[in-house]
Amino acid sequence: YIKYIFIEWQALRNSNGLKCAVLKRLLARKFGSLPESIEQRLKAATLLKLETWSLNILDAAIMPDSK
């Protein structure tokens, strides 16, 4: 059972990393190079937050606030 939980945790962790990488590429493609503060926020974001941001980028006209 512990092994199963670890495997599931790894899958979720990797999924979060993948979504972060994709969103980072989309932001860079749309706005150019990203400030370090944005990259740090992406790395620290929850899966739900990354999903929300990935939808919001479609409507964004300016770089998201880096604060």
Side-chain angles (χ1 to χ4, degrees):
Y1 184 71
I2 300 274
K3 184 177 179 181
Y4 176 77
I5 291 173
F6 180 75
I7 291 170
E8 287 295 312
W9 176 78
Q10 282 291 99
L12 287 173
R13 184 172 167 232
N14 291 339
S15 175
N16 197 26
L18 179 61
K19 287 186 185 250
C20 178
V22 169
L23 183 54
K24 183 178 172 182
R25 286 180 37 207
L26 290 172
L27 285 166
R29 173 84 181 226
K30 188 165 185 171
F31 300 112
S33 64
L34 302 177
E36 183 63 29
S37 58
I38 295 287
E39 291 193 28
Q40 292 302 319
R41 284 185 67 193
L42 289 172
K43 290 177 186 175
T46 64
L47 189 58
L48 180 60
K49 192 58 120 170
L50 290 171
E51 289 175 357
T52 300
W53 290 341
S54 69
L55 294 174
N56 291 344
I57 191 175
L58 298 173
D59 300 322
I62 59 172
M63 174 73 80
D65 186 11
S66 60
K67 296 178 184 175

